[in-house]
């Protein structure tokens, strides 16, 4: 997996991000995961907005997009007002046609390292409560459940209920 290169997304990447998100949604539906993402829910304006108030990162292999994630520095809709001690990972996406197995974990580690590099102590994320497979994925990656959020607003869809998870940043565990 060392052949992945990471970089912040740019305006020219918007179409690739929308395609990646829609492909991930189609994959979920094919796996029987029906309550989470739907193709066509998020457009270029969504990712453009995240780039203005947070970060969107791309992973590339051999010059092709292999995955992406959003990194937010606050998430009041899920976590309420918080001191600036965490980074929030959203929309971790893998291009299943262009990425090797395990790419999702590599992207997650890169997001965790980015958050630690900014001096934050925790990586936080939320998972759709009804998606047992995804909740298990993050638990196996070292996250722990710290709460639940009912009725979190969703871009392009109705509010949903989420499991709130966090993990100490690697830098914070070395102290």
């Amino acid at each position: 997996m060392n052949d992945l290169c990471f970089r912040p997304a740019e305006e020219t990447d918007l179409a690739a991000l929308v395609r990646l998100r829609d492909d991930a949604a189609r994959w979920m539906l094919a796996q029987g995961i029906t309550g989470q993402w739907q193709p066509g829910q998020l457009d270029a304006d969504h990712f453009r907005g995240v780039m203005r108030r947070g970060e969107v990162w791309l992973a590339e292999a051999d010059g092709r997009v292999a995955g992406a994630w959003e990194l937010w520095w606050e998430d009041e809709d899920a976590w309420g007002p918080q001191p600036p001690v965490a980074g929030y990972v959203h929309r971790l996406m893998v291009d299943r046609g262009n990425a090797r197995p395990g790419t999702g974990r590599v992207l997650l580690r890169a997001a965790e390292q980015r958050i630690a590099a900014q001096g934050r102590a925790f990586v936080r994320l939320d998972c759709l409560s009804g998606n047992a497979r995804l909740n298990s994925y993050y638990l196996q990656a070292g996250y722990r459940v710290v709460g639940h959020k009912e009725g979190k607003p969703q871009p392009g869809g109705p509010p949903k209920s989420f499991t709130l998870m966090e993990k100490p940043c690697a830098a914070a565990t070395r102290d």
Side-chain angles (χ1 to χ4, degrees):
M1 280 304 161
N2 294 336
D3 60 342
L4 286 178
C5 298
F6 302 101
R7 66 174 178 82
E10 301 173 353
E11 184 81 17
T12 56
D13 298 313
L14 292 172
L17 289 164
V18 170
R19 178 198 55 81
L20 188 61
R21 172 48 166 70
D22 285 349
D23 288 350
R26 282 189 277 280
W27 179 86
M28 283 186 206
L29 292 171
Q31 300 298 307
I33 302 167
T34 59
Q36 190 138 351
W37 293 354
Q38 300 297 318
Q41 277 181 319
L42 302 182
D43 60 12
D45 286 340
H46 166 82
F47 292 103
R48 187 179 292 114
V50 173
M51 286 189 266
R52 276 196 300 269
R53 65 183 179 276
E55 300 176 9
V56 179
W57 285 83
L58 285 178
E60 295 176 322
D62 300 321
R64 295 179 57 205
V65 173
W69 71 90
E70 294 178 11
L71 181 54
W72 302 2
W73 299 110
E74 59 183 28
D75 185 0
E76 287 194 19
D77 284 344
W79 294 82
Q82 296 286 318
V85 298
Y88 302 84
V89 177
H90 288 276
R91 277 172 269 293
L92 185 72
M93 306 174 282
V94 172
D95 184 335
R96 298 205 175 266
N98 188 41
R100 295 181 187 166
T103 296
R105 290 283 172 93
V106 174
L107 281 108
L108 189 56
R109 279 194 299 275
E112 293 165 357
Q113 291 167 356
R114 172 71 179 146
I115 292 166
Q118 295 302 303
R120 303 286 176 113
F122 297 98
V123 181
R124 291 181 177 156
L125 52 85
D126 56 60
C127 288
L128 190 65
S129 294
N131 188 338
R133 186 172 171 179
L134 188 59
N135 279 266
S136 177
Y137 177 85
Y138 287 119
L139 290 170
Q140 290 173 10
Y143 288 78
R144 65 184 185 94
V145 175
V146 295
H148 296 278
K149 173 66 178 181
E150 303 297 322
K152 179 184 172 193
Q154 295 299 290
K160 296 179 181 173
S161 297
F162 288 85
T163 301
L164 304 178
M165 296 186 175
E166 78 176 12
K167 177 181 181 179
C169 285
T173 59
R174 284 189 236 135
D175 294 341

